[in-house]
Amino acid sequence: LQFTEEKLGQAEKTELDAHFENLLARADCTKNWTEKILRQTEVLLQPNPSARVEEFLYEKLDRKVPSRVTNGELLAQYMTEAANDFGPGTPYGRTLIKVGETQRRLGAAEREFIRSASISFLTPLRNFLEGDWRTISKERRILQNRRLDLDACKARLKKAKAAEAKAAVTP
């Protein structure tokens, strides 16, 4: 009732401290940017949306995500197979083997980068959103409910004083 009356402009609202309001605004800003950065980093690390959904489901089910072959590793595999078909002794075959080995190392480095970025960068962001932000939201709701209770009590007290003053004036 108090919340509705405040929204309709029929009840007074106790304002929070300006410094506290500033902290709440900063917390909201931090949450929004953290979500955006987390999503975009996930897109960068895994551009395939269906693979991201699959990884998300594995994570939520507390299962180990199966390791994927990176595009560089797949290209290396194709080059090595092609080199074997052409013959490792031919100039084209030797070149494919060298380039394939380099691609394999690049693919392995990419896999390590993705693993490292996930552990060192994405995990703290998720921990903030799933831990700290939930706590902040819960405490914010509790504070809002307490403020509404306070304002409702103030309104009842004001009405009681007005009724008392009216009763005192009229004999």
Side-chain angles (χ1 to χ4, degrees):
L1 180 65
Q2 178 68 26
F3 180 78
T4 305
E5 287 179 355
E6 285 178 7
K7 290 297 178 188
L8 296 174
Q10 298 173 348
E12 291 181 35
K13 178 180 177 181
T14 301
E15 294 299 323
L16 299 173
D17 180 51
H19 177 66
F20 185 73
E21 289 286 351
N22 183 32
L23 287 175
L24 289 176
R26 284 180 43 204
D28 287 336
C29 185
T30 301
K31 179 215 178 234
N32 291 336
W33 281 110
T34 301
E35 286 176 335
K36 288 178 184 179
I37 290 168
L38 176 71
R39 278 193 307 268
Q40 194 56 42
T41 304
E42 288 173 337
V43 168
L44 174 75
L45 295 177
Q46 179 50 270
N48 184 343
S50 60
R52 278 198 312 274
V53 169
E54 183 183 353
E55 288 173 3
F56 175 77
L57 290 174
Y58 274 108
E59 182 182 310
K60 289 301 175 190
L61 295 173
D62 288 332
R63 300 245 172 109
K64 187 180 183 302
V65 179
S67 114
R68 286 192 184 9
V69 177
T70 64
N71 290 330
E73 291 170 321
L74 188 59
L75 179 59
Q77 180 182 345
Y78 290 161
M79 287 180 166
T80 304
E81 289 173 10
N84 290 332
D85 276 355
F86 287 113
T90 65
Y92 189 44
R94 282 193 303 273
T95 303
L96 284 173
I97 288 174
K98 285 181 184 178
V99 174
E101 180 58 29
T102 303
Q103 278 300 115
R104 186 192 60 74
R105 285 186 294 199
L106 285 171
E110 179 185 5
R111 178 194 308 272
E112 178 57 27
F113 169 73
I114 290 170
R115 188 190 70 72
S116 170
S118 179
I119 291 170
S120 303
F121 186 69
L122 294 179
T123 300
L125 295 179
R126 282 191 191 105
N127 289 344
F128 167 74
L129 292 171
E130 294 171 3
D132 297 341
W133 182 253
R134 282 194 178 144
T135 303
I136 291 168
S137 297
K138 179 182 164 196
E139 296 298 328
R140 182 185 259 177
R141 280 191 303 277
I142 291 170
L143 176 65
Q144 176 73 354
N145 289 334
R146 298 290 193 270
R147 188 197 57 76
L148 288 169
D149 291 345
L150 174 67
D151 288 349
C153 289
K154 282 181 177 178
R156 272 190 260 135
L157 179 63
K158 190 175 180 181
K159 285 179 186 176
K161 283 185 178 180
E164 188 177 289
K166 186 177 181 183
V169 172
T170 56

